[in-house]
């Protein structure tokens, strides 16, 4: 599964001071065919129904036809139509921004959606074709478009989810292969201050595709590991892990409430707080074990299997019985306006201090590496672990606004202005969660469902308070603007 090559532990930082700059962001070239491909991926990520689509697909193709060499092109349903991106004459990002502003000048909803499509295209092209462009310049250009789309109430079909690593994320762009694997995926990630994040025993993980991260705000430390076979976990338990294979289950209406109930039943039964060891997961054992042999099984989004799901109810890590020893190879601190890459199948984890925040844009790209067997490391004596994706009421608009305030606060500090106002809001958020959790820990007079519902409500109120403070800060003149570059 994971070989012993030095490249396995390579996590490369990009955009270091003094990098050679050959092109600016407005000069990045994008073809009309690529915009069509990305439009399809952003539409999928938005989970908009036919009636909710912000931009009519046929009208968009009609408008783009004047920029296409062959105007009979259609939006590719999957990555198999890869040549779509090469169709049409290349135009600079700045020209596309001007064209979109003119075409959708009377419809802010459509303009915000198409500017998000343009932002994704810029990230993709900067990553694939123009790696010398400074991360600060890329984020200064694309972040306002992402922020505008996620905070536009009429584009409310984007959804937040909770990662197994403890952060919240919003899919922005998703293209899957016919086999259900990730071809390309871009997500917006936010770590908020917390009492705990994820399950530490499952922190070390790898990704199937090659990946790149751009840091919007905050500080995270990425730890990279090298693995080697461990025949007998009993002789040297320190540093020995089991390799887990991951399965995903798609989201359907009512899943968040069901997930909370399932988790509460597990905790009430006194099981160890590895979420997957409960009746809800045991009932699925037989179906899951059929997939562990590696055969691909076609199934719907509401079944847990090896096909990646853009919008997830849950993910389950299954112990494969393979044991490895993990040795830390390096750790790197990443802060605002830095970027780094994680090769396919490299084991790593990102640590963000519990009283700190962090926000990133994250791009998975299978064209530069893909390992179907990439998995997660976990305890040797556990059968499975399930992470439910319920965001506890947190919305993409909340996350985008808070991240924007994070970034503005740090920028203000760089310019010699105080950022204490937003730091105080983050401390108040963290303290509210810790105080409430401490009060709840000793209570035995409420059911697990009631306790979980109460903690969820407290967390949501704290997040809403932070969100409102972030809106106040962004609307004032005390911090830098996040308006798009004209």
């Amino acid at each position: 599964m994971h070989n012993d090559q030095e490249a396995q532990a390579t996590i490369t930082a990009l955009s270091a001071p003094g990098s050679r700059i050959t092109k600016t962001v407005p000069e990045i070239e994008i073809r009309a065919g690529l915009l069509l491909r990305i439009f399809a991926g952003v539409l999928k990520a938005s989970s908009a129904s036919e009636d909710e689509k912000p931009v009519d697909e046929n009208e968009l193709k009609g408008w783009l036809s004047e920029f296409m060499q062959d105007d009979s092109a259609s939006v590719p349903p999957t990555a198999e139509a890869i040549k779509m991106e090469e169709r049409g004459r290349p135009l600079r990002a700045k020209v596309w921004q001007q064209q979109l502003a003119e075409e959708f000048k009377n419809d802010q909803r459509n303009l915000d959606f198409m500017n998000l499509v343009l932002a994704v295209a810029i990230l993709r092209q900067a990553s694939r074709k123009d790696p010398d462009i400074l991360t600060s310049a890329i984020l200064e250009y694309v972040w306002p478009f992402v922020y505008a789309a996620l905070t536009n109430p009429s584009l409310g079909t984007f959804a937040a989810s909770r990662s197994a690593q403890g952060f919240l994320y919003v899919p922005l762009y998703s293209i899957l292969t016919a086999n259900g694997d990730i071809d390309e995926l871009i997500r917006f990630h936010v770590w908020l201050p917390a009492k705990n994040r994820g399950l530490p025993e499952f922190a070390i993980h790898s990704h199937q595709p090659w990946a790149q991260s751009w840091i919007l705000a905050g500080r995270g430390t990425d730890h990279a590991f090298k693995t080697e076979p461990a025949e007998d976990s009993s002789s040297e338990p320190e540093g020995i892990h089991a390799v887990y294979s991951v399965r995903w289950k798609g989201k359907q209406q009512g899943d968040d409430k069901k997930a909370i109930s399932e988790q509460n039943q597990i905790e009430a039964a006194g099981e160890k707080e590895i979420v997957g060891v409960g009746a809800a997961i045991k009932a699925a054992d037989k179906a899951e074990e059929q997939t562990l042999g590696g055969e691909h099984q076609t199934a719907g989004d509401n079944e847990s299997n090896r096909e990646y799901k853009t919008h997830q109810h849950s993910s389950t890590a299954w112990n494969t019985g393979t044991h490895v020893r993990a040795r830390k190879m390096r750790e790197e601190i990443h802060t605002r306006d830095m970027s780094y890459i994680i090769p396919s199948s490299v084991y790593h984890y990102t640590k963000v201090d519990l009283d700190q925040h962090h926000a990133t844009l994250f791009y998975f790209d299978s064209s530069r590496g893909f390992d179907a067997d990439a998995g997660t490391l976990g305890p040797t004596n556990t059968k499975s672990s399930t992470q439910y994706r319920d965001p506890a009421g947190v919305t993409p608009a909340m996350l985008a606004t808070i991240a924007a305030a994070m970034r503005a606060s740090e920028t203000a500090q760089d310019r010699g202005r105080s950022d204490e106002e937003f730091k105080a809001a983050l401390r108040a958020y963290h303290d509210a969660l810790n105080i409430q959790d401490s009060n709840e820990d000793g209570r035995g007079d409420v059911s697990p469902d009631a306790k979980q519902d109460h903690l969820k409500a407290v967390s949501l109120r704290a997040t809403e308070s932070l969100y409102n403070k972030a809106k106040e800060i962004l609307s004032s003149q005390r911090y830098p603007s996040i308006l798009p570059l004209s």
Side-chain angles (χ1 to χ4, degrees):
M1 175 178 290
H2 295 275
N3 59 35
D4 196 27
Q5 296 179 356
E6 184 69 22
Q8 183 189 40
T10 299
I11 293 185
T12 306
L14 304 174
S15 297
S19 293
R20 180 172 56 90
I21 302 174
T22 59
K23 186 181 292 185
T24 64
V25 177
E27 295 174 326
I28 290 176
E29 293 185 339
I30 300 166
R31 297 177 185 271
L34 177 59
L35 283 186
L36 279 174
R37 172 181 167 83
I38 290 179
F39 170 80
V42 174
L43 199 61
K44 179 177 178 61
S46 75
S47 68
S49 66
E50 193 65 33
D51 294 336
E52 295 171 321
K53 287 183 178 180
V55 179
D56 182 86
E57 186 176 314
N58 291 325
E59 291 182 7
L60 177 65
K61 285 190 287 187
W63 175 65
L64 285 176
S65 65
E66 63 181 283
F67 305 101
M68 299 284 288
Q69 295 171 351
D70 178 1
D71 59 12
S72 66
S74 60
V75 176
T78 70
E80 310 319 312
I82 189 70
K83 294 301 181 183
M84 169 61 69
E85 67 194 64
E86 299 299 332
R87 302 183 59 179
R89 64 181 185 272
L91 295 178
R92 293 182 175 185
K94 182 65 176 180
V95 175
W96 281 117
Q97 183 184 351
Q98 294 167 343
Q99 293 286 342
L100 291 172
E102 176 62 26
E103 178 67 17
F104 299 105
K105 62 185 177 183
N106 297 320
D107 191 332
Q108 191 63 45
R109 177 174 181 254
N110 284 0
L111 178 59
D112 284 346
F113 187 87
M114 289 306 300
N115 278 338
L116 176 60
V117 171
L118 178 60
V120 168
I122 290 170
L123 285 173
R124 181 187 191 273
Q125 294 299 87
S127 177
R128 286 193 173 192
K129 298 181 182 299
D130 299 295
D132 293 329
I133 297 178
L134 289 177
T135 301
S136 58
I138 296 169
L139 293 179
E140 185 180 4
Y141 203 99
V142 306
W143 169 240
F145 292 145
V146 176
Y147 170 80
L150 294 183
T151 56
N152 186 328
S154 64
L155 291 175
T157 59
F158 289 94
S161 295
R162 187 171 301 278
S163 164
Q165 304 303 312
F167 59 83
L168 292 153
Y169 68 89
V170 181
L172 301 176
Y173 168 66
S174 177
I175 296 286
L176 306 181
T177 70
N179 290 330
D181 294 327
I182 295 172
D183 185 57
E184 292 185 87
L185 177 69
I186 292 181
R187 303 192 310 197
F188 166 47
H189 294 177
V190 178
W191 288 255
L192 293 175
K195 183 180 180 181
N196 52 64
R197 292 195 188 99
L199 298 171
E201 55 267 60
F202 284 93
I204 303 174
H205 64 285
S206 62
H207 302 291
Q208 291 177 326
W210 179 100
Q212 180 171 359
S213 180
W214 295 270
I215 314 302
L216 288 165
R219 170 185 168 126
T221 304
D222 212 285
H223 301 257
F225 295 82
K226 181 179 181 180
T227 60
E228 56 189 29
E231 300 298 334
D232 184 5
S233 63
S234 63
S235 61
E236 190 181 348
E238 185 69 24
I240 303 298
H241 305 263
V243 176
Y244 284 69
S245 179
V246 181
R247 306 290 183 267
W248 296 276
K249 181 179 180 181
K251 192 172 185 179
Q252 56 184 324
Q253 190 172 7
D255 271 343
D256 289 343
K257 185 175 181 181
K258 180 181 177 184
I260 291 291
S261 178
E262 289 174 350
Q263 181 164 341
N264 292 343
Q265 290 174 20
I266 293 168
E267 293 173 356
E271 297 278 3
K272 183 180 178 182
E273 203 175 15
I274 293 177
V275 180
V277 189
I281 301 307
K282 291 176 182 176
D285 278 1
K286 183 175 181 180
E288 294 294 337
E289 287 168 356
Q290 290 175 354
T291 69
L292 288 178
E295 292 185 11
H296 175 77
Q297 298 186 355
T298 301
D301 267 1
N302 297 327
E303 297 181 46
S304 179
N305 62 10
R306 295 185 67 182
E307 297 177 8
Y308 183 81
K309 312 298 190 302
T310 304
H311 301 283
Q312 300 166 16
H313 164 270
S314 60
S315 64
T316 300
W318 289 86
N319 193 330
T320 65
T322 298
H323 294 168
V324 296
R325 180 177 290 104
R327 301 187 189 279
K328 184 186 290 189
M329 295 299 295
R330 66 170 64 186
E331 59 183 73
E332 293 178 351
I333 296 174
H334 300 130
T335 57
R336 178 173 52 87
D337 291 341
M338 293 181 68
S339 182
Y340 66 99
I341 62 173
I342 306 169
S344 168
S345 76
V346 167
Y347 281 117
H348 79 115
Y349 75 86
T350 298
K351 180 181 179 182
V352 178
D353 290 343
L354 294 178
D355 62 345
Q356 297 298 310
H357 62 273
H358 196 46
T360 70
L361 295 173
F362 206 83
Y363 176 35
F364 296 99
D365 183 6
S366 67
S367 74
R368 284 178 275 184
F370 186 88
D371 182 353
D373 293 327
T376 293
L377 302 186
T380 59
N381 60 352
T382 299
K383 183 176 183 181
S384 65
S385 173
T386 292
Q387 169 67 43
Y388 294 105
R389 301 307 196 188
D390 174 34
V394 177
T395 67
M398 291 180 183
L399 294 175
T401 302
I402 292 169
M406 292 176 186
R407 184 170 173 82
S409 173
E410 293 179 12
T411 303
Q413 185 180 33
D414 288 349
R415 297 177 182 177
R417 300 168 63 180
S418 172
D419 67 339
E420 185 57 34
E421 186 176 9
F422 189 65
K423 282 185 176 179
L426 286 168
R427 285 195 298 269
Y429 171 88
H430 184 246
D431 291 346
L433 297 184
N434 279 338
I435 291 171
Q436 186 58 48
D437 281 352
S438 297
N439 290 341
E440 290 294 319
D441 283 345
R443 293 186 63 184
D445 57 341
V446 294
S447 69
D449 276 347
K451 178 180 177 180
Q452 187 68 29
D453 287 344
H454 180 64
L455 291 175
K456 179 180 176 181
V458 169
S459 174
L460 181 57
R461 285 198 299 271
T463 306
E464 288 174 337
S465 177
L466 181 60
Y467 165 58
N468 289 329
K469 186 63 178 178
K471 284 198 297 183
E472 176 190 326
I473 288 173
L474 292 173
S475 64
S476 74
Q477 300 300 313
R478 299 187 297 275
Y479 289 90
S481 171
I482 53 167
L483 294 176
L485 295 177
S486 58

